[in-house]
Amino acid sequence: MDKFDKKYTRFEKARIIGARGLQIAMGAPVLISTKSYDPIDIAMLEFEKGVIPITVKRMSK
């Protein structure tokens, strides 16, 4: 098993998208081209494309 697994739990995904949506709403630059103006929609598109500069640090078992 790899040390870093690219699959996120639904809770991690929600936290990442929510945090990125807040950043966009506060004026952070958008990392993709889109016609949408909704920060959450933009954050979801960024997440799907894998361009969000946020990582998840997990505790080792």
Side-chain angles (χ1 to χ4, degrees):
M1 182 186 250
D2 292 337
K3 260 189 159 181
F4 180 73
D5 187 21
K6 286 231 175 199
K7 294 185 181 181
Y8 295 108
T9 67
R10 60 185 174 161
F11 306 106
E12 292 167 340
K13 182 179 175 182
R15 179 69 171 100
I16 291 169
I17 291 172
R20 182 62 184 147
L22 181 61
Q23 289 176 349
I24 293 168
M26 298 298 286
V30 177
L31 303 174
I32 59 170
S33 61
T34 181
K35 294 181 181 181
S36 179
Y37 291 104
D38 183 37
I40 297 297
D41 288 340
I42 296 169
M44 283 193 289
L45 290 171
E46 287 183 351
F47 183 83
E48 290 170 4
K49 292 193 178 203
V51 297
I52 295 182
I54 297 175
T55 57
V56 174
K57 184 176 180 181
R58 295 183 180 145
M59 304 271 302
S60 61
K61 292 180 181 181

